[in-house]
Amino acid sequence: MDIPASPGFLGEDHSEPLTLDTRLPRSERTQSIQEDEGRATVELASIMTTASNPVSPGPSSPPLDQSRMQDFVPPTRPSSTPFPQPEPRNTDVRCLSCPTDSGMELDEPEHAETPSLLPQVEPVGMNLNDLPAEIHECILDHLFGFRVSPTSKSSIMRWGTALRHSRRKELSELSLVSPAWRDLIQERLYRHIKLKATIESLRDSSAYFAKHPHLRHYIKHIEIWFPVFQPRYGPLARFTPNTLPTVTVDGLTNASYVLPADNCSLEEAFYFVSECFPEVCVMTLEGGERKKAPRVRHWIRDADQQSRKMPKIDSIRTLICKGQWNLIRGADDFDAIVSALPNLREWHGSYSKPKSKSYLTMADILSKPLKLTYLNLCIEGDYRRELSFPPYFLKVSSKVHFCSKLALAASSPPLEHISYTGRVCKQFFVDLAARHQDFRQDRLKSIDLTVKNCCRHVSSLHESGSGITDMNFINSFEALVLAGIRALGKLRAVEYLRIRYVDLDSPVPPLNPYFLLRDGWCSGVWSDAIVSELNRVRPMAQFEDLSESFGEVGYNKDGRMTISPDFPKSKALSLKLSNYALLSGGISIT
């Protein structure tokens, strides 16, 4: 019995009809039917894959090799990227407003699961600890401020607060945010610590860092200050009309301040630092200041002991001495401190009050060979003009010319930068240029001088003042600048030269004379002699501006001359020295 081909099941051009032989047994007949159905399915698939576009009626491209697609493994992202794992995406897009049909059959064709070509990725939860270390650093730098390296060669004006944050107690609570932040915040908080130089304070600090040894490696700058006062409390007194009471835990008491009795010595302080802080780079010693202040003891034993050696701290590179008169009162004191710091390269010394002994002591120290690369010395930093030379400086000038001793220290072969605040004259540059013979061995790159006054020979003390209204001082300042420019002919490695006079009481601060050479550009005071000398020794350097006047000159109702500067609040780039003669006649500046 012949069964015709179904037009809905087979194509119209099918030429081989299916036949069913009834003479065959039932088992063989069933097998024949199944073979015919398989053949029909293959033919139907070939018909369905035929393109219906008449332009390109050919068969479609062969299917992609699924095994090759499954063998592809995406590359692993670097661990330093912010998101090391690919973000899982939900490809099942559904309408949230439509109710879900829980009774739908899973075997329906529209709900059949299609095999995914990408590898299955489990969702990974991200938290703060998974962020890279660079992101944490940026966040904490925004809160704490950018850190300054203790070994940085950049000019740091205030070492006291360079590595120390003012809100240490408030920001210490941030260490509880996460374990990653705890280490980073502790590293910042403990970079700069300040300790009291007493026996009790050193014992407590030793016990604290013994319990927390991991904090010792965070400390880069340690500041040790020696107290010059110590309160001594008297008996309880509730009604004492002559003195003000002091409130303590015991009530109201009378207190008088006496010399401290529990201060440690420098030997004990150095031993404490060498044992507790292996990576400290900067040390600050603060001697304090008071009337008849005590000298800081250097040794534990008495002075008559022969065997005295300071504990060595090899990691210290920078030493800052505040209130240096109480720390160093002679060349022997300086030698004892330097012997404990064999790798010292920078020395910042400042005095609280000017004294004749400060100049004389520093003159002895600067006469010795130094292995420093950076010297910053401030002997007089009050920044006030004076009417005449003080008596203590007359005592110094009668014994030694300090400018020559300063030039001797500046000519030290390893020295690269010198900064000085005090009295200086042209003899400094004259002696400095005379000591530099071979420019190939010069390392001095920058000179920074802040002038208190220019030492000079005068016939009367009234001619030895300073300020913008004193022409004797202005002439001495011009001679100092001329000598500095002339010295640049031999100091070929010097790229930065600044000579300035600072007067906080000046009626017009922008008129304070200064000279600056930086990156081949000059600004500040000028004259014909200065310009010609600069063209001779540094032909490539030039002034940014050469102005002929300070500003508009007029007269007030009292007949006094007045000047309205062109730069009332900004820094003047050009100050002609001859114009200062207008200020010496008692004029008023508006």
Side-chain angles (χ1 to χ4, degrees), residues 150 163 187 190-192 216-222 279-283 316:
L163 307 178
E187 181 182 359
Y190 284 92
R191 294 186 78 211
H192 181 185
R216 300 186 304 150
H217 299 277
Y218 295 153
I219 297 173
K220 307 299 181 182
H221 183 182
I222 180 171
E279 298 183 9
V280 62
C281 302
V282 184
M283 173 183 285
I316 295 293

Side-chain angles (χ1 to χ4, degrees), residues 68 201 272 275 353 359 377 387 453 461 537 571:
R68 183 176 303 176
S201 177
F272 165 75
E275 293 295 328
K353 293 182 179 180
Y359 280 97
L377 182 61
L387 300 177
N453 200 346
L461 286 179
V537 299
K571 184 177 181 180

Side-chain angles (χ1 to χ4, degrees), residues 162-299:
L163 307 178
R164 197 164 187 262
H165 203 277
S166 58
R167 298 172 57 196
R168 297 167 61 89
K169 295 183 178 180
E170 292 82 355
L171 293 177
S172 62
E173 298 179 356
L174 295 176
S175 61
L176 304 177
V177 173
S178 67
W181 276 33
R182 180 175 182 178
D183 296 337
L184 297 176
I185 290 178
Q186 285 181 348
E187 181 182 359
R188 285 165 168 78
L189 291 179
Y190 284 92
R191 294 186 78 211
H192 181 185
I193 63 174
K194 188 173 183 179
L195 301 178
K196 188 177 181 180
T198 59
I199 302 297
E200 182 181 2
S201 177
L202 295 186
R203 289 176 179 174
D204 295 342
S205 301
S206 300
Y208 178 80
F209 287 104
K211 295 180 180 179
H212 308 84
H214 67 284
L215 301 177
R216 300 186 304 150
H217 299 277
Y218 295 153
I219 297 173
K220 307 299 181 182
H221 183 182
I222 180 171
E223 186 172 355
I224 302 176
W225 65 281
F226 293 83
V228 295
F229 294 101
Q230 178 180 349
R232 183 177 62 185
Y233 299 103
L236 296 177
R238 298 184 180 275
F239 302 100
T240 306
N242 296 330
T243 59
L244 294 177
T246 302
V247 180
T248 63
V249 294
D250 299 330
L252 298 179
T253 62
N254 292 328
S256 60
Y257 290 90
V258 296
L259 295 178
D262 193 32
N263 284 6
C264 66
S265 62
L266 279 178
E267 183 180 2
E268 294 170 312
F270 287 169
Y271 180 80
F272 165 75
V273 174
S274 62
E275 293 295 328
C276 293
F277 311 125
E279 298 183 9
V280 62
C281 302
V282 184
M283 173 183 285
T284 298
L285 300 177
E286 186 173 353
E289 179 59 33
R290 58 161 287 181
K291 188 177 181 180
K292 297 182 179 180
R295 174 179 172 272
V296 174
R297 291 187 301 112
H298 283 224
W299 309 97

Side-chain angles (χ1 to χ4, degrees), residues 341-560:
L341 312 174
N343 296 321
L344 183 65
R345 293 296 177 265
E346 296 187 20
W347 179 27
H348 303 254
S350 61
Y351 290 86
S352 302
K353 293 182 179 180
K355 297 179 180 180
S356 60
K357 295 181 180 180
S358 301
Y359 280 97
L360 297 176
T361 301
M362 288 306 307
D364 295 338
I365 296 175
L366 297 178
S367 301
K368 298 183 177 182
L370 302 175
K371 299 181 180 180
L372 303 174
T373 60
Y374 190 106
L375 176 61
N376 188 348
L377 182 61
C378 178
I379 298 183
E380 295 189 62
D382 55 345
Y383 306 114
R384 295 288 192 278
R385 65 175 181 267
E386 57 186 15
L387 300 177
S388 61
F389 289 155
Y392 65 85
F393 181 72
L394 297 176
K395 181 179 179 181
V396 173
S397 59
S398 62
K399 295 183 178 181
V400 64
H401 194 176
F402 185 79
C403 299
S404 300
K405 301 297 182 180
L406 185 64
L408 181 61
S411 61
S412 178
L415 192 65
E416 298 180 1
H417 174 83
I418 182 172
S419 178
Y420 169 72
T421 301
R423 303 174 187 273
V424 65
C425 66
K426 65 178 183 179
Q427 194 64 33
F428 167 74
F429 288 106
V430 173
D431 294 349
L432 180 60
R435 293 182 179 276
H436 283 72
Q437 301 297 334
D438 189 0
F439 67 89
R440 293 173 297 181
Q441 299 180 356
D442 293 343
R443 288 189 174 183
L444 189 61
K445 298 180 180 179
S446 62
I447 302 175
D448 190 359
L449 301 179
T450 302
V451 182
K452 171 66 177 179
N453 200 346
C454 294
C455 46
R456 56 190 182 272
H457 296 284
V458 294
S459 58
S460 176
L461 286 179
H462 299 286
E463 301 176 357
S464 61
S466 64
I468 62 176
T469 59
D470 193 325
M471 282 306 300
N472 293 321
F473 170 75
I474 296 298
N475 294 333
S476 300
F477 191 87
E478 180 182 6
L480 175 63
V481 174
L482 269 173
I485 296 176
R486 192 175 295 112
L488 294 178
K490 292 187 176 181
L491 306 175
R492 299 185 182 183
V494 174
E495 302 174 353
Y496 178 88
L497 173 63
R498 184 174 69 168
I499 306 172
R500 61 173 180 167
Y501 169 75
V502 180
D503 180 14
L504 299 180
D505 296 332
S506 176
V508 182
L511 294 183
N512 289 334
Y514 78 97
F515 176 81
L516 176 62
L517 170 63
R518 178 171 54 188
D519 298 333
W521 292 96
C522 299
S523 60
V525 298
W526 70 277
S527 63
D528 295 339
I530 291 178
V531 174
S532 61
E533 189 67 23
L534 182 64
N535 293 333
R536 185 183 68 85
V537 299
R538 295 287 177 95
M540 302 300 296
Q542 56 182 345
F543 276 86
E544 298 183 24
D545 184 23
L546 294 177
S547 178
E548 294 289 339
S549 64
F550 290 159
E552 183 179 356
V553 180
Y555 294 89
N556 59 10
K557 59 182 181 180
D558 298 332
R560 300 184 63 185

Side-chain angles (χ1 to χ4, degrees), residues 1-5 9-10 14 16-20 36-37 39-40:
M1 178 178 179
D2 296 333
I3 299 177
F9 185 74
L10 299 176
H14 186 69
E16 298 181 5
L18 296 176
T19 59
L20 180 62
D36 293 340
E37 290 179 356
R39 185 187 306 173

